[in-house]
Amino acid sequence: MTKQTVTLTDNATGKQIELDVLHPSVGPKCIDIRKLHKELGYFTYDPGFMSTASCSSQITYLDGDEGTLLYRGYPIEQLAESSTFLEVCYLLLNGNLPTMTEMADFEHIITRHTLLHDQVQGFYRGFRRDAHPMATMVGVVGALSAFYHDDLNIHDQDQRKRSAHRLIAKMPTIAAWSYRYSMGLPFNYPRNKLKYAENFLHLLFSVPTEDYEPDPLMARALDVIMILHADHEQNASTSTVRLAGSSEANPFAAVSAGIASLWGPAHGGANEAVITMLREIEKSGQPLSHWIARAKDKNDRFRLMGFGHRVYKNYDPRAKIIRTLANQILDRLPPGNPNQKLFDIARELEQVALNDDYFQSRNLYPNVDFYSGVIFLSMGIPVSMFTVMFALARTIGWISQWNEMMGDEESRIGRPRQLYMGAERRDYVSLDKR
């Protein structure tokens, strides 16, 4: 490939520098600005990293304009239809789909690492009963390094893999126990005969007094939702994991930082906002047309939650997949479900958005958060657990990105620059003279 450069001219001095253009395997080319400050004395200013590639990665590719999401080159549609969450975990972590032997070994490792150290239960009891499950998640995941400190050499690839396996395996138990503790329910232990999603439903919902058999449709829906949320390129929480990990912090601390970032309503709270909106519509007693009109009024602050996407300017490819599962689940809900009216509003709202020219022309289609919120609620998962479900699925993306960074020779400790707008140098004045 012929070397390509971009010439940058400082109009104040006339000095020019040539910056190399980096060619990705797919997607926009990048300008290598690493020598910009040394040659011209400038930094770049890009709040939110909207035009900045903070790293190179081989894990996930996203094209919002085309509605494309690839895990290690595989389209998300194919993986959601044909794969399982654990197979996707193997793919993201190792780079390729496993053979039958590799998959059997991987499932064996994950299945037999699901138990938590018994003293972790005492850690849970240090939280108030009404603590938000995400607060518990941040604390417990960060504390895992105190229980599993034998594999914390981050420069050893085998130890990094073992830490990754532990996080993948133990996160369902941690997440479920966070819920059980907040509800005053006894902790359930994992069952090795159950598959990953089935086991999580057991951990979440079974009670000692009755036998529990996970619903196959619910388990499949959960498996697909986790596949769809497994990774999403360099988003806020993934970038947080990379930044925390760049200081050579242990993987449990780095993932805990990612959970804290995900907790923010601008990142992981989108499906919770959908249910809040639907409940507001239901409670108002106003016809849906009233809310649609408000959503179209540019002077009204009301917005439809779960429609459109900051990244996807086309239809969210994940929403196409999950929509079918959502309808299958809603179609078989028993009569008298307390949330039936809420689900009816959701379905009516979906049809309006799919057929109204206003929403079509602006690409305001239902996204993955719209459908996942409805599915979680129909499963009996409370709204307070929605972001926990997101963290459960995204753990594999975080730990895969962290593992890739730790093996990258170009990786450096994160140290963003700033545009300083504060006071210039000034001298101290003693208190009695101010």
Side-chain angles (χ1 to χ4, degrees), residues 41-158:
Y42 291 112
F43 295 139
T44 56
Y45 182 65
D46 183 21
F49 303 103
M50 300 302 294
S51 299
T52 301
S54 61
C55 64
S56 63
S57 180
Q58 300 178 7
I59 297 173
T60 301
Y61 173 71
L62 187 161
D63 186 332
D65 293 332
E66 296 297 324
T68 298
L69 179 61
L70 307 177
Y71 291 170
R72 299 286 190 177
Y74 293 96
I76 190 65
E77 296 88 344
Q78 294 181 18
L79 293 172
E81 181 181 355
S82 305
S83 189
T84 65
F85 179 67
L86 270 191
E87 186 177 52
V88 168
C89 287
Y90 185 97
L91 170 67
L92 290 172
L93 186 61
N94 296 288
N96 292 296
L97 289 170
T99 63
M100 290 185 67
T101 301
E102 288 170 337
M103 190 63 215
D105 290 343
F106 185 70
E107 287 180 331
H108 178 83
I109 290 169
I110 300 304
T111 301
R112 278 149 185 82
H113 278 84
T114 52
L115 275 173
L116 289 170
H117 193 290
D118 189 62
Q119 290 180 357
V120 174
Q121 290 194 31
F123 197 84
Y124 276 89
R125 294 188 173 94
F127 291 93
R128 285 172 53 116
R129 277 287 180 191
D130 58 356
H132 194 286
M134 280 295 280
T136 310
M137 287 279 287
V138 171
V140 173
V141 172
L144 288 181
S145 59
F147 295 92
Y148 306 103
H149 44 71
D150 51 333
D151 285 318
L152 295 183
N153 181 358
I154 58 176
H155 301 293
D156 184 312
Q157 186 175 357
D158 291 336

Side-chain angles (χ1 to χ4, degrees), residues 5 50 67-69 92 104 191 219 260 297 373 384 396 412:
T5 61
M50 300 302 294
T68 298
L69 179 61
L92 290 172
R191 295 172 62 187
D297 184 355
S384 63
I396 179 56
R412 301 288 185 272

Side-chain angles (χ1 to χ4, degrees), residues 60-346:
T60 301
Y61 173 71
L62 187 161
D63 186 332
D65 293 332
E66 296 297 324
T68 298
L69 179 61
L70 307 177
Y71 291 170
R72 299 286 190 177
Y74 293 96
I76 190 65
E77 296 88 344
Q78 294 181 18
L79 293 172
E81 181 181 355
S82 305
S83 189
T84 65
F85 179 67
L86 270 191
E87 186 177 52
V88 168
C89 287
Y90 185 97
L91 170 67
L92 290 172
L93 186 61
N94 296 288
N96 292 296
L97 289 170
T99 63
M100 290 185 67
T101 301
E102 288 170 337
M103 190 63 215
D105 290 343
F106 185 70
E107 287 180 331
H108 178 83
I109 290 169
I110 300 304
T111 301
R112 278 149 185 82
H113 278 84
T114 52
L115 275 173
L116 289 170
H117 193 290
D118 189 62
Q119 290 180 357
V120 174
Q121 290 194 31
F123 197 84
Y124 276 89
R125 294 188 173 94
F127 291 93
R128 285 172 53 116
R129 277 287 180 191
D130 58 356
H132 194 286
M134 280 295 280
T136 310
M137 287 279 287
V138 171
V140 173
V141 172
L144 288 181
S145 59
F147 295 92
Y148 306 103
H149 44 71
D150 51 333
D151 285 318
L152 295 183
N153 181 358
I154 58 176
H155 301 293
D156 184 312
Q157 186 175 357
D158 291 336
Q159 291 192 33
R160 294 203 305 268
K161 282 288 180 71
R162 282 196 289 273
S163 292
H165 293 160
R166 280 176 170 151
L167 278 163
I168 297 166
K170 297 180 190 306
M171 197 60 77
T173 310
I174 294 170
W177 282 14
S178 298
Y179 165 72
R180 304 280 295 189
Y181 182 76
S182 70
M183 298 297 293
L185 295 169
F187 293 149
N188 288 324
Y189 287 93
R191 295 172 62 187
N192 288 350
K193 72 174 186 177
L194 296 176
K195 295 180 180 178
Y196 194 86
E198 294 174 341
N199 194 44
F200 179 69
L201 292 174
H202 149 71
L203 288 165
L204 206 60
F205 294 127
S206 67
V207 292
T209 52
E210 296 178 11
D211 291 333
Y212 178 82
E213 289 297 328
D215 184 311
L217 179 58
M218 296 296 189
R220 176 57 185 159
L222 179 57
D223 206 60
V224 170
I225 288 174
M226 289 192 295
I227 290 172
L228 300 181
H229 287 87
D231 198 42
H232 211 230
E233 221 186 58
Q234 304 307 316
N235 52 77
S237 58
T238 299
S239 297
T240 299
V241 171
R242 279 183 172 267
L243 189 59
S246 73
S247 71
E248 300 191 356
N250 69 74
F252 304 111
V255 169
S256 178
I259 295 171
S261 175
L262 185 70
W263 194 1
H267 186 12
N271 48 16
E272 184 174 341
V274 170
I275 301 304
T276 300
M277 175 196 69
L278 292 174
R279 284 174 172 167
E280 182 182 358
I281 293 173
E282 179 186 21
K283 185 178 179 181
S284 73
Q286 296 278 2
L288 193 58
S289 57
H290 165 80
W291 297 93
I292 297 297
R294 286 190 61 186
K296 293 179 180 180
D297 184 355
K298 64 180 181 180
N299 297 316
D300 194 320
R301 297 184 64 182
F302 174 76
R303 294 291 179 268
L304 290 178
M305 298 293 104
F307 291 82
H309 196 280
R310 180 183 178 186
V311 173
Y312 295 108
K313 308 308 177 188
N314 203 322
Y315 197 86
D316 184 343
R318 302 169 300 168
K320 297 177 184 178
I321 301 161
I322 202 173
R323 178 174 181 259
T324 302
L325 281 169
N327 284 318
Q328 287 177 357
I329 290 172
L330 295 183
D331 284 342
R332 39 160 273 184
L333 285 177
N337 186 287
N339 294 307
Q340 187 61 57
K341 188 174 181 182
L342 203 73
F343 298 143
D344 291 342
I345 293 171

